Amino acid sequence: MDWQAFALSLRLAAVTTAILLAIAVPLAALIVLGRGRWLAAVEALATLPMVLPPTVLGFFLLVLLGPRTAFGRGIVALLGHPLAFSFDGLVVGSVIYSLPFAVQPLVAGFASVDTALVDAARLLGAGPVRLVSTILIPLARRSLLAAVVMSFLHTIGEFGVVLMLGGDIPGATRTLSIVLYDQVEGFNYAAAGHTALLLLGLSIFALALIYSRTRSHGVAPRDA
Amino acid sequence: MLSFSLNAHRGAFHLQVEGAFAADWTVVFGPSGAGKSTLLRLLAGLDNPRHASIVLDGRALTDSAARLCLPPGHRQTSLVSQQPALFPHLTALANVAYGLRSLDRAARARRLDEVLQLVGATGFAGRRPQELSGGQAQRVALARALVAQPRVLFADEPTGSLDTLTGEMVMDLLVGMAREEGTTVVLVTHDARVAAYAEREVMVRDGRVLNPASSQVEVAQ
C-alpha cells in the first residue's frame, strides 16, 4: 500500500473540500436567492465540470496554467513556480472539477427551504450573510453534509484531471487513483486490489454516513 | 401615514394602485386574486415593484425614480401571514429574539420578556414551533413581528388557519398589542368579523384600489 499517496489524496480532498465550501455556499445562495436571468448562466457554468470529460478539463487547465499563456506566466511570476505538475495545481483543478458536486446539493437544499421562512428572516432585518448562516444552512444541514462528503469523495477518486494536470510525481501529485493506474499498468493486480478496496471502503463509509444522516425514518403517512 | 403609488407586474398579474393608510386600523378587502397580498408584499419590501413610490411618515421607503428600495428589515414595517412561518430549528423565544439584534443584552432581555408577556407566551417560550398549537404559534409570530416596534404591521389573513375561538383570541391580542405599541395595522381579510376590528376599509379589485384614502369608507363597528 502506498501510504504516501493515501496521505496526499486525503490532504488534497480536505483542502479542496474546504475551499469548495467557501465558494459553493455563497454561490448556491446566490443561485437560489438572487434574481436575474444571468443566474441561469452562472448555474450552468457551475455545472459544466460535471458533464465535461475530465481529460478535457485537465488539458485546458494544463494549457492555461502552463508557461505558454500570459496567465500561466503571471502565476510563475507570482509563486515562483508553475501550477502545473504541483500540489497547488492539483488543488485548483480539483476545486473546478468538483465544484458541481458541492454546489448542486446546496442549491437543492437551499431551494427546499420554505420561502416564507426566508421572507420572515428578511422582514426581521437579516441580510444575506445572516440569512444564509442562521436560516438556510441550519435548515439544509443534510445538504451541506452531502456537499462535503460528495466533494471529498469525488476528489479522492479523481483521475483524469490529476493525471493531465499533475502527472505522477511521488509525494507531490501521485494520488491513490494514479497509484491504482500504475499498479494495473505494471500487472501488480494484488496491490491494485488493495488500493481499489481502500477506495471502495472510503466510498462506502462516506455514503453510509450521508444516508444515515439524511434518510428519514420509516415512510411518512400520506394525507388522504 | 403610509402613502403609496405602485405599478407592478407578477406574471400575468398587474397591480396598479395609489392610496394612503392614515388610520390606525385599515382593512383591505377584495376577492381572491385581486392583489391584496401582492399589495402587502410590495409595501413590506418583499417584492420590488417596477414603478413605485412608497412613503412612510415622510420617509421614502421605495422610490423607483431614485433607484431606492429599502430592504424589508429597514422599513419600520413588519408582516404576519396566515401561516406563522416560525423558524423550525429555533425555540419560540429565539424566534422572537431574531429581530432584536440592535439592542444590548439587558435591553433585549427586557423587551423579550415584555413582548412574551403581552402575547401570553412565557409558558411555552422554550418550545420549538412543532411543539406549539396553531394559536400558540400565531401568538409567537405576532410577538416576533412586533418585537422591534415597527411603525406599520401588515397582517395577511392572520387568523385564516385558526378556528373561530382561537382566531378571535389572536385578533384581540393583535388589537391590544398594536394599541400598546402604537403600531398602525393594515389587515387583509375575507372574514367580516375580523374586518370589523378596523376603522377604515379599502377595496382592491383587479389590481386596483377602488376607494383610495380620500374616499375611504367607515366600517361599522
Side-chain angles (χ1 to χ4, degrees), chain A residues 35 116-117 119-126 130-131 134-135 138-139 141, chain B residues 41 44-48 72-73 79 85-89 98-99 101 144:
Chain A
R35 290 170 191 176
L117 300 179
D119 285 345
R122 291 173 64 209
L123 283 161
L124 295 166
R130 189 164 181 235
L131 178 59
T134 61
I135 305 296
L139 292 178
R141 58 188 181 280
Chain B
R41 286 184 63 83
L46 289 172
D47 292 331
N48 289 341
L79 185 145
L86 298 178
F87 306 129
H89 57 301
Y98 193 89
R101 276 184 94 202
R144 189 178 67 173

